[in-house]
Amino acid sequence: MALEEERKPLEQQGTYPLLPLRGLLVYPSMVLHFDVGRPKSVKALEQAMVDDHLIVLASQEDGQVDEPQKDDLYQVGTLARVKQMMKLPNGTIRVLVEGLSRAQIIDFVEDEELFRVNVTLHEDEGDLSPTAEMQAAMRSVAQQFEQYVKLSRKLDQETYAAVVDIDHPGRFADMVASHLPLKIREKQDILEAFDVQHRLERLLQILSDEREVLELERQIHQRVRKQMEKTQKEYYLREQMKAIQRELGDKEGRTSEIEELRAKLDEKQLPPEVHEKVEKEISRLERIPSASAEGTVVRTYIDWLLALPWTERADSVVDLARAERVLNEEHYGLEKIKDRILEFIAVQKLVNKQSGPIICLAGPPGVGKTSLARSIATSLKRPFVRVSLGGVRDDAEIRGHRRTYIGAMPGRILQGMKQAGVKNPVFLLDEIDKMASDFRGDPAAAMLEVLDPEQNNTFSDHYVEIPFDLSDVMFITTANNLYQIPGPLRDRMEVIQLAGYTEDEKLHIAKLHLLPKQREAHALKGDKLRVSDDILLELIRHYTREAGVRQLNRLIATICRKCARIIAAGEQKRITVTIAMVHDFLGPRKFEYGRAQEQDEVGVVAGLAWTEMGGDLLTVEVSVVPGNGKVKLTGQLGDVMKESAQTALSYIRSRATQLHIPANFHEKVDIHVHVPEGAIPKDGPSAGITMATAIASALTNRPVRHDVAMTGEVTLRGRVLPIGGLKEKSLAAHRAGIRTIIIPQGNEKDLSDIPEVVREQVQFKPVSHMDAVLDIALGNEATLDERHPLHTEAWFADLFTEDKYSGEGTHQ
């Protein structure tokens, strides 16, 4: 209903009903309508209508309070005139009010039904005669308000024109404030500013802040709009491309392929530089025609980047008890090796680090180097990757090929990482000593970065081009011959030496590992096949002579195959292998156990040699024939071994008197030194004392003990120098039935590394001079052999008699 307005002069002070406002604030000269529903507010409106339509409007400090008290209201409000009041169907009242003046609440009048307050009214000073300072402030506010209207887009030009046309500074400030999106607290600050100049300055500050915020919003909006326009443009073009491809019968063309690659990229958690590279390559692939060969190259490159484990890790478990159990279950013996591996794992557990020193397992074939590495991976619950480096001659095999080459691909390192699927596998580099270099490069030099813990966190592959982190990989290498590994590469590895097995160890390995494995492989479980220890010893002693057990495993497999054939043919259901069956299956014995030489012989000495296959028995033969002092060396001897023969001969000449040899014997005879198995190259200085003994035996006609073997380097003065590989050589002598071994005095300290069973059955005689070697091998002069018809001096006298020797014929 419409109400008649009564315009009466306002008194400076008065008592009026009060209407609390939630989330609203009314300025003087402002016309606003709102809904009223609270009982006390309705009572206040009704009382105002009874009086003179005047009411005080005060905002609540907290709009969430439903029943406000006097402490919940601001102390400055607005005296307003109720212009219109209308009851709505839902019971609330919609009221239209016009602000008249600022009203400061003095106190509240006690009334239970409604709020009544005593107020003091504050009229704006200077509205009729504004000062120059006020006019300047108004002009600045108007300029700022104009900029705000342009940026806001919520106010039109009509509103702006209506506001700036106001001449009164106070009313102007109130109207500008009423059009700003301010919080109630900020609006209340302006309402409480009774001083018009202060009000304008405060408003100027607020407008400046709001304008900056709107400017930032505009910039953000433009940036977002540009991005959206770009995305919409790309989507539109892709849809066009799909339509064109469908019309051409190209099915989905490359679009589905690109979408698949992008989906994979989103799934993978890649490092930022890798993600950026893949995204770039996918965009490049998208622009390449489907029929282009370059598209296949780019697609292959993207597949490799997505397949490599940049961030994936295996949940490794470092458990010493588990590691020890796995090593003992899968390997017999090798106690020192197992202890070293467990120490390595223990350090990993304490420092909580995935990698560590690069382990190099060095030893002859068949002793379990590769299976040890696999057991380490099993004990740590990490994937195992094996890469064979045998015969690698091109460094691109390690670092990969450049993408410019046809058929380019990453090197073997990153191929192994892709196979593992995680960035912390156990990585075995097998046969690292078999790498070679030629005109294509040096792969050993490329391995330096791989095996250097200080560098491999940024390993660079020529194909991938992005540094790959190998620092969490546990690298293990294997080698047969450490001397074939370049020094800088060998320096980056911690070498663990594995020697050959003793006869007892081979027997246990065959019983616990080899035989059960072959039974299962040939379906001979249970009591279908019975093999006794005597049969296994027959194989070890008479059919194999090796450091490891690889040949033994082959022989057991051969017996299992032949027995499986008999059982499959229905001839027998169960087989107990006998010695006769072994001879029938494998043929006659290949080696005679316990007899290196059947009897003592002149000029024949058993030496000991180290090879990549382990230790071996090396026989040296010397023959003396009439001649003019020539020395002939045969048997594919290397330069060092030839020099050892010359040194040995010089020593014998210097001891001719003590050996009862004529001083000028070298002018009357030719000496032929031969090492059997002439097809096999041989080299090294450790056969020095062996050659010296053989030459002395041949010249003195004194036989050498057949149960003695020896190893050591000899000097011109007869000193015996230390050699390497004593453990392997001792095991070889033990396998051949040798019971006395002459070794250099300097190698006596190495006897602790030799298995106890060998030390119990073999007598080691350390010597420091060649004279002691001859005393042991040839016996003293009182025990010169009587089996030969000629005494040493008589033999030489007969040999050098002029009427029987003309210098050109042969010895009669």
Side-chain angles (χ1 to χ4, degrees):
M1 59 182 169
L3 300 174
E4 294 183 0
E5 298 181 358
E6 297 181 3
R7 299 290 183 180
K8 297 179 181 179
L10 298 176
E11 297 180 359
Q12 187 69 20
Q13 292 185 345
T15 301
Y16 304 97
L18 181 138
L19 176 62
L21 298 178
R22 289 195 293 186
L24 291 175
L25 188 143
V26 179
Y27 287 106
S29 304
M30 181 178 175
V31 178
L32 184 69
H33 66 80
F34 52 86
D35 296 340
V36 178
R38 289 185 289 191
K40 279 190 175 184
S41 299
V42 174
K43 288 287 186 181
L45 278 174
E46 292 175 349
Q47 184 62 41
M49 298 304 294
V50 172
D51 295 341
D52 51 3
H53 294 192
L54 295 178
I55 190 169
V56 175
L57 305 176
S59 299
Q60 295 179 198
E61 293 183 4
D62 186 359
Q64 302 297 324
V65 179
D66 290 330
E67 297 293 335
Q69 302 300 320
K70 59 182 181 179
D71 293 335
D72 296 325
L73 301 173
Y74 287 109
Q75 297 304 303
V76 176
T78 303
L79 180 65
R81 186 184 304 278
V82 180
K83 298 176 69 68
Q84 190 177 27
M85 189 171 70
M86 180 188 304
K87 289 188 178 180
L88 299 177
N90 60 1
T92 61
I93 297 175
R94 178 161 293 174
V95 60
L96 181 67
V97 298
E98 178 188 6
L100 300 177
S101 176
R102 285 171 169 76
Q104 184 170 8
I105 300 174
I106 305 301
D107 57 6
F108 284 76
V109 179
E110 293 292 337
D111 194 330
E112 294 182 358
E113 294 184 353
L114 54 88
F115 285 114
R116 297 178 66 87
V117 292
N118 294 323
V119 298
T120 299
L121 302 182
H122 293 271
E123 296 292 339
D124 291 335
E125 298 178 358
D127 276 0
L128 298 179
S129 57
T131 63
E133 190 174 359
M134 284 185 183
Q135 290 178 351
M138 285 179 64
R139 188 173 299 172
S140 298
V141 171
Q143 291 175 353
Q144 292 283 355
F145 187 62
E146 181 182 9
Q147 296 295 327
Y148 172 79
V149 170
K150 290 179 179 178
L151 293 171
S152 174
R153 298 184 181 180
K154 295 180 181 179
L155 300 176
D156 51 23
Q157 289 297 323
E158 289 78 8
T159 303
Y160 166 73
V163 172
V164 298
D165 283 344
I166 300 175
D167 296 331
H168 300 87
R171 289 177 57 194
F172 171 75
D174 290 341
M175 289 303 294
V176 171
S178 66
H179 288 91
L180 297 179
L182 304 178
K183 296 180 181 178
I184 293 298
R185 176 68 260 180
E186 294 173 333
K187 290 186 176 184
Q188 184 69 29
D189 289 343
I190 295 177
L191 183 65
E192 293 177 359
F194 299 136
D195 180 46
V196 177
Q197 181 67 32
H198 175 69
R199 195 185 310 165
L200 288 170
E201 292 175 356
R202 173 64 179 152
L203 197 58
L204 189 62
Q205 181 182 359
I206 292 174
L207 278 170
S208 179
D209 294 342
E210 285 295 321
R211 190 173 62 81
E212 290 182 4
V213 172
L214 287 176
E215 183 67 29
L216 290 174
E217 288 181 355
R218 185 183 65 83
Q219 294 176 2
I220 293 172
H221 176 73
Q222 289 179 349
R223 192 160 59 244
V224 172
R225 186 178 63 185
K226 287 181 180 179
Q227 185 65 31
M228 290 180 63
E229 288 175 354
K230 179 182 178 182
T231 304
Q232 290 172 351
K233 178 181 178 182
E234 290 177 354
Y235 174 77
Y236 175 71
L237 292 175
R238 286 196 185 98
E239 291 300 318
Q240 275 190 328
M241 190 180 299
K242 288 181 182 179
I244 294 171
Q245 288 168 348
R246 281 193 294 267
E247 289 297 324
L248 293 174
D250 196 15
K251 296 182 180 180
E252 290 300 317
R254 184 158 278 159
T255 306
S256 59
E257 181 182 4
I258 297 297
E259 292 176 352
E260 179 186 351
L261 291 175
R262 292 189 189 278
K264 287 183 179 180
L265 178 60
D266 293 337
E267 292 175 5
K268 296 265 297 181
Q269 298 294 327
L270 299 178
E273 63 274 11
V274 182
H275 190 283
E276 181 181 352
K277 182 71 172 178
V278 175
E279 183 65 45
K280 181 179 178 182
E281 292 296 326
I282 291 176
S283 301
R284 181 183 171 201
L285 178 64
E286 197 172 10
R287 297 190 297 269
I288 297 175
S290 301
S292 174
E294 187 181 1
T296 305
V297 175
V298 176
R299 173 60 197 266
T300 304
Y301 179 64
I302 294 172
D303 288 341
W304 268 105
L305 291 182
L306 292 176
L308 288 173
W310 298 94
T311 56
E312 294 83 355
R313 303 174 63 88
D315 295 329
S316 179
V317 178
V318 182
D319 186 345
L320 281 176
R322 169 186 167 82
E324 185 173 6
R325 185 177 67 254
V326 170
L327 289 173
N328 288 332
E329 287 175 355
E330 298 184 0
H331 297 86
Y332 179 81
L334 304 175
E335 299 303 330
K336 290 185 178 181
I337 311 301
K338 293 177 185 176
D339 288 343
R340 178 63 191 89
I341 293 173
L342 290 174
E343 291 166 5
F344 175 80
I345 295 175
V347 172
Q348 272 198 337
K349 181 176 182 179
L350 291 179
V351 300
N352 194 23
K353 188 178 179 183
Q354 296 288 338
S355 61
I358 310 300
I359 294 179
C360 179
L361 302 175
V367 295
K369 300 186 295 297
T370 303
S371 60
L372 268 174
R374 186 177 285 107
S375 297
I376 294 174
T378 302
S379 63
L380 295 176
K381 292 187 176 180
R382 289 162 72 170
F384 177 74
V385 181
R386 174 185 171 272
V387 171
S388 177
L389 300 177
V392 173
R393 294 176 175 270
D394 188 355
D395 63 346
E397 292 281 339
I398 307 299
R399 287 190 176 276
H401 302 79
R402 301 283 182 187
R403 279 194 290 155
T404 53
Y405 297 108
I406 297 175
M409 62 189 305
R412 296 195 182 191
I413 301 300
L414 290 193
Q415 289 182 37
M417 296 303 296
K418 176 187 175 183
Q419 176 187 344
V422 295
K423 64 180 299 186
N424 60 335
V426 175
F427 203 120
L428 176 64
L429 299 170
D430 213 2
E431 309 291 352
I432 196 170
D433 58 325
K434 302 300 188 299
M435 289 190 300
S437 60
D438 60 8
F439 65 92
R440 288 167 291 188
D442 186 1
M447 290 297 298
L448 294 177
E449 184 182 4
V450 177
L451 298 182
D452 192 338
E454 301 298 328
Q455 301 179 29
N456 62 10
N457 60 335
T458 56
F459 172 69
S460 176
D461 186 276
H462 292 156
Y463 182 84
V464 174
E465 295 178 348
I466 304 173
F468 191 88
D469 185 5
L470 296 175
S471 59
D472 288 338
V473 180
M474 179 187 289
F475 284 106
I476 300 175
T477 64
T478 68
N480 297 133
N481 189 352
L482 285 175
Y483 302 104
Q484 293 182 0
I485 304 176
L489 184 58
R490 188 168 64 245
D491 184 59
R492 282 164 169 79
M493 300 182 292
E494 183 170 340
V495 179
I496 299 179
Q497 287 282 0
L498 282 78
Y501 293 113
T502 63
E503 180 183 286
D504 184 60
E505 288 174 335
K506 288 184 180 180
L507 178 61
H508 280 84
I509 291 171
K511 288 172 58 179
L512 299 176
H513 300 285
L514 304 183
L515 187 57
K517 180 180 177 181
Q518 295 300 338
R519 276 177 168 166
E520 182 177 357
H522 294 86
L524 296 175
K525 292 184 178 180
D527 58 349
K528 290 184 178 181
L529 177 66
R530 296 176 183 174
V531 180
S532 65
D533 291 356
D534 292 338
I535 300 300
L536 296 176
L537 282 175
E538 176 74 12
L539 298 179
I540 294 169
R541 290 177 173 178
H542 300 291
Y543 288 89
T544 65
R545 186 166 286 178
E546 58 178 345
V549 292
R550 192 165 287 161
Q551 179 63 18
L552 178 61
N553 188 39
R554 293 193 192 99
L555 295 177
I556 294 175
T558 301
I559 292 175
C560 289
R561 282 197 307 273
K562 294 185 179 297
C563 292
R565 178 180 176 182
I566 294 173
I567 293 174
E571 299 176 15
Q572 297 183 40
K573 292 183 177 180
R574 298 176 181 82
I575 297 178
T576 299
V577 180
T578 63
I579 298 294
M581 294 174 67
V582 172
H583 296 166
D584 183 41
F585 291 159
L586 304 179
R589 291 176 173 178
K590 304 295 189 297
F591 305 100
E592 287 298 325
Y593 174 77
R595 287 194 299 172
Q597 296 286 339
E598 294 184 358
Q599 61 183 6
D600 298 351
E601 293 188 31
V602 175
V604 180
V605 183
L608 297 173
W610 180 92
T611 69
E612 294 180 13
M613 305 295 292
D616 198 6
L617 209 63
L618 189 72
T619 303
V620 176
E621 298 179 350
V622 175
S623 175
V624 178
V625 294
N628 54 5
K630 294 181 181 178
V631 177
K632 190 174 184 179
L633 305 172
T634 57
Q636 279 217 55
L637 307 185
D639 291 339
V640 177
M641 206 164 185
K642 291 178 180 179
E643 292 172 358
S644 293
Q646 297 287 350
T647 304
L649 181 58
S650 296
Y651 165 74
I652 296 300
R653 288 181 60 188
S654 68
R655 307 291 287 181
T657 303
Q658 289 82 352
L659 294 172
H660 306 290
I661 304 173
N664 61 342
F665 75 90
H666 59 282
E667 300 174 358
K668 304 290 186 178
V669 295
D670 290 343
I671 298 177
H672 185 171
V673 179
H674 177 67
V675 182
E677 299 183 8
I680 301 174
K682 311 167 191 70
D683 201 2
S686 62
I689 66 172
T690 310
M691 291 182 173
T693 303
I695 294 172
S697 171
L699 290 173
T700 60
N701 201 31
R702 296 159 66 181
V704 181
R705 290 172 53 185
H706 69 279
D707 62 342
V708 172
M710 59 188 68
T711 179
E713 181 180 356
V714 67
T715 69
L716 290 172
R717 294 176 294 166
R719 293 180 57 211
V720 180
L721 303 182
I723 43 82
L726 180 63
K727 183 177 180 180
E728 289 79 3
K729 294 176 180 178
S730 302
L731 292 174
H734 180 260
R735 287 194 296 269
I738 298 294
R739 291 299 173 259
T740 302
I741 301 178
I742 300 174
I743 64 172
Q745 189 81 42
N747 287 111
E748 191 172 6
K749 62 181 184 302
D750 299 325
L751 293 177
S752 60
D753 295 333
I754 297 174
E756 185 177 354
V757 64
V758 176
R759 295 202 305 268
E760 290 175 353
Q761 299 179 13
V762 176
Q763 184 180 11
F764 292 90
K765 292 186 174 293
V767 297
S768 59
H769 198 273
M770 190 65 213
D771 290 348
V773 176
L774 298 178
D775 288 343
I776 297 171
L778 302 180
N780 55 41
E781 195 168 336
T783 58
L784 289 176
D785 67 273
E786 298 177 356
R787 291 169 294 179
H788 291 79
L790 299 175
H791 187 271
T792 302
E793 294 182 0
W795 179 73
F796 264 102
D798 183 61
L799 181 63
F800 296 148
T801 302
E802 292 184 1
D803 60 345
K804 291 186 178 181
Y805 171 59
S806 62
E808 297 178 358
T810 58
H811 176 232
Q812 299 295 327

